[in-house]
Amino acid sequence: FFFSLHLAFMALSLNNISYGGKARKNLGTLRITENGIGWKNKQGKSISLLKDKIDHIEWITIGKGKGQLRIYTTEGSSHIYEGIPPQELAKIEETASTLFNKDVEHVNQTVSGWNWGKPEFDGAFMNFLVDGKKAFDIPLSIVEQAHHDKNDVVIGFPQDSSTSIEGAETLL
């Protein structure tokens, strides 16, 4: 009985987290509760995801002292939360396991040489594989245009109005 009561009040809050892999100046609070996952910035923009819409969860180390949490939905989309200190990972894993009955998969990104990998499409994502491991992925919903020539692929992304970067962001 005590354990059930404890679950009703279990929640995890993480501050200074960016949403969507966007610029770090758009920071907010990530909350994981028994109802699902939510993020809200200081300007009042919020994103909510009900727990029954969560398909699987991934953790990716993206740099020294920072990590990225990716929540994939049953509809095939993803929610990306970035800037999470690695020391919070154990709490995230415990909370996801307890509240959602989901394990957090650790994805080791592989980047070697100049080859960004072989593209492979998986639902709403274009994964780039190097030596059979995912180097990174791109949600197709954020691709505005793409073209290729003999040796290159150019992928254009729409301008993010929350950043100060002029022009479209492009991955070569």
Side-chain angles (χ1 to χ4, degrees):
F1 175 74
F2 177 77
F3 187 71
S4 298
L5 182 62
H6 177 69
L7 280 180
F9 297 103
M10 184 175 190
L12 177 63
S13 290
L14 302 169
N15 295 318
N16 298 316
I17 307 300
S18 64
Y19 173 76
K22 304 293 184 192
R24 297 279 305 150
K25 72 179 196 174
N26 191 15
L27 300 175
T29 300
L30 174 66
R31 284 189 46 83
I32 304 173
T33 70
E34 70 274 5
N35 296 321
I37 297 174
W39 177 88
K40 185 175 183 179
N41 69 9
K42 292 177 183 175
Q43 293 77 30
K45 179 180 179 182
S46 64
I47 307 292
S48 298
L49 180 62
L50 295 174
K51 76 177 187 178
D52 62 344
K53 299 292 184 185
I54 298 171
D55 183 56
H56 67 282
I57 303 170
E58 291 181 349
W59 170 265
I60 302 168
T61 301
I62 58 170
K64 188 173 183 172
K66 296 296 177 193
Q68 183 181 85
L69 193 66
R70 288 185 173 209
I71 313 298
Y72 291 86
T73 69
T74 55
E75 286 101 19
S77 63
S78 71
H79 295 260
I80 301 170
Y81 304 96
E82 201 166 275
I84 301 170
Q87 61 268 26
E88 300 293 342
L89 178 57
K91 293 177 197 171
I92 293 169
E93 289 175 321
E94 178 185 356
T95 305
S97 176
T98 303
L99 297 180
F100 308 144
N101 198 27
K102 302 279 183 192
D103 291 328
V104 177
E105 178 187 349
H106 294 238
V107 175
N108 296 319
Q109 295 194 331
T110 308
V111 183
S112 61
W114 295 100
N115 186 347
W116 287 33
K118 175 184 174 193
E120 181 179 278
F121 293 92
D122 180 20
F125 299 91
M126 180 170 40
N127 299 317
F128 288 86
L129 306 177
V130 175
D131 297 327
K133 294 182 181 178
K134 180 165 55 171
F136 64 96
D137 65 13
I138 298 173
L140 295 175
S141 62
I142 67 166
V143 174
E144 187 171 84
Q145 61 180 341
H147 69 275
H148 67 89
D149 62 21
K150 183 177 177 182
N151 295 316
D152 294 315
V153 174
V154 177
I155 301 172
F157 303 96
Q159 173 65 31
D160 179 359
S161 61
S162 68
T163 67
S164 62
I165 300 170
E166 294 295 322
E169 300 171 29
T170 302
L171 179 65
L172 289 172

